[in-house]
Amino acid sequence: MSVASPDRLLVFDVAGGGCAVAVRSGGSVAAARDEPMRRGQAERLVPLIEDALTEAGLTHAELDAVGVTTGPGAFTGVRIGLATARGFALALGIPAIGVTSFAAIAAGVPAPERPVAVVVDARLDDVYVQVVGADGRPVTEAAALPPAALAEHLPAGPVILAGDGADQAEPALRAAGRTVTRAAAPPRPDPTVLAGLIATHPLPEPDAPPPRPVYLRQPDVTLPP
C-alpha cells in the first residue's frame, strides 16, 4: 500500500440530513459548503462541488483523490455519494477514499470526550450506533437498534453521545438509568473535519476496489415481487 496521502482533495457527505462539500489543498481546507436537507442532495451535490472547486482555485484535473462518507445513513444519500465519488474517480483517474459516517462524526468530537457513542438517525423506529474510541477506531460493532435496546448494547458506565440520533437515544438511555452527556460536536459530519480525516488516509493502490456502502438494515422501500 502506498504511504503517500492526498494533498489536493475533494470530499463530500450526503449520507444523512445534509449536503456537505470541502476542498483541501496545501494542508488546509480552501473551501467548504454545508447545507442541511432531507431531500434534494442529487440536485445540489455537483453544483456545490463546482462552487467549492472554483473558490479553492482548483480544477478537476488537479485533484489527487476524492473522499466520501459510506454510511450508514439514508439509503438514497449513501448511493448518491458513492456513485458521485466513483464517477469522479473513474473520469479523473484518481482514487476514491471512503470513511463511515460514524468515523466522520466522531472525528469532530474533542479527544477528551471519546470514546463516544455515535448515534445516527435511521428514520422510522431505529437508530444506527457505534462507539468510537479516542484513536478513531471502532470500540463496538455497528448496529441498527431501537433506542430502548441501546442501554444493553453499549458498554457499561456513563455515555457520551454524538450524532443526529442523540435526541432519540438520550431519553431511552436515561430511562434505563444511564448517565448521559452530549459531545460538543456537530450532529452531522463537518466537511472541514471530514477533509482532515480523509487526508490522513494513504492513497489506495490503483487496483484497490472503490468504497463500499455501509448498510445495517434492508431498504425502507422494496420493489414488489
Side-chain angles (χ1 to χ4, degrees):
M1 179 179 288
S2 170
V3 297
S5 296
D7 177 37
R8 297 177 298 274
L9 177 64
L10 166 68
V11 306
F12 42 86
D13 166 61
V14 288
C19 192
V21 174
V23 176
R24 182 181 170 95
S25 179
S28 63
V29 171
R33 302 285 188 274
D34 190 5
E35 296 183 1
M37 62 181 68
R38 282 291 190 181
R39 297 178 178 84
Q41 288 95 332
E43 292 77 21
R44 285 298 293 151
L45 178 56
V46 171
L48 287 180
I49 288 172
E50 297 305 318
D51 286 348
L53 285 170
T54 298
E55 181 181 331
L58 290 179
T59 65
H60 298 83
E62 293 176 296
L63 293 171
D64 295 325
V66 58
V68 64
T69 48
T70 59
F75 288 93
T76 300
V78 171
R79 288 194 294 267
I80 290 168
L82 289 172
T84 304
R86 187 172 188 186
F88 272 94
L90 290 173
L92 301 174
I94 59 176
I97 301 171
V99 297
T100 68
S101 300
F102 298 124
I105 294 169
V109 176
E113 297 188 34
R114 304 183 210 156
V116 61
V118 180
V119 186
V120 175
D121 182 6
R123 318 236 178 132
L124 299 180
D125 298 323
D126 288 344
V127 293
Y128 303 127
V129 60
Q130 186 172 53
V131 177
V132 179
D135 59 359
R137 298 176 184 272
V139 174
T140 64
E141 293 292 327
L145 299 169
L150 286 172
E152 183 175 348
H153 175 78
L154 295 175
V159 179
I160 299 177
L161 291 176
D164 63 2
D167 286 343
Q168 298 158 269
E170 183 174 0
L173 287 167
R174 291 191 183 279
R178 302 294 289 271
T179 300
V180 180
T181 58
R182 298 285 191 104
R188 295 184 292 105
D190 180 295
T192 299
V193 173
L194 177 62
L197 174 63
I198 291 180
T200 66
H201 285 62
L203 286 168
E205 296 290 345
D207 59 350
R212 297 182 62 82
V214 177
Y215 295 139
L216 298 179
R217 69 178 190 192
Q218 294 300 309
D220 300 328
V221 178
T222 57
L223 295 175

